[in-house]
Each structure stands twice: as structure tokens, then as C-alpha cells.
Amino acid sequence: MKKKHHHKKKVSPAKKWSAKLHLWLGLSVGIIVFIVSLTGTLYVFKDEVQNILRKEAIYVKMKIPAKTRYPLGFSGKR
């Protein structure tokens, strides 16, 4: 029994062009949607992101000098 050869139909130039157009428009719009989504997420969680990234600028440890003890009767005058 002989195998039948199925030949692929030739793709028209308009179909090739529309496929390439669909690919590049989809990729460019996808990148725009991704950037808008990322910046929107950062805007919504702005306070939380700043707390994580700038913790040393927000929370400053103050160095409080130790209290000096003076003997009784010391007035500080000489």
C-alpha cells in the first residue's frame, strides 16, 4: 500500500504579513501593559516599599548620654 503525500497549502503573503503584525503588536502592547501594571503596583504599595528600602533613614537610633551622678552638695559652681 502506498502512502499518500499530503502537500501543505501555500500560505498567502497577506496571511504571513498579518501573522507578523499580530506578533509584534502583541509583544509591544504586552510590554506596555507589563510596565503599567508594575508601576501601578509600586504606586499602590509605595509606603511598604519605602519602609523596606529606607529603613535606616526612617528609624534613627538616638544616642542618649548617660546621666551623670554628682555627689550630694555639689552645686556645679566653682
Side-chain angles (χ1 to χ4, degrees), residues 38-54:
L38 185 65
T39 56
T41 302
L42 290 174
Y43 180 73
V44 168
F45 295 106
K46 176 178 65 173
D47 295 333
E48 287 83 357
V49 171
Q50 281 183 349
N51 287 343
I52 291 170
L53 295 178
R54 301 189 62 211

Side-chain angles (χ1 to χ4, degrees), residues 22-66:
H22 182 265
L23 170 72
W24 289 109
L25 283 177
L27 286 174
S28 59
V29 169
I31 289 173
I32 292 170
V33 169
F34 175 74
I35 291 170
V36 168
S37 301
L38 185 65
T39 56
T41 302
L42 290 174
Y43 180 73
V44 168
F45 295 106
K46 176 178 65 173
D47 295 333
E48 287 83 357
V49 171
Q50 281 183 349
N51 287 343
I52 291 170
L53 295 178
R54 301 189 62 211
K55 189 173 271 189
E56 71 280 350
I58 295 171
Y59 300 104
V60 179
K61 281 190 172 181
M62 292 182 61
K63 294 183 179 179
I64 300 173

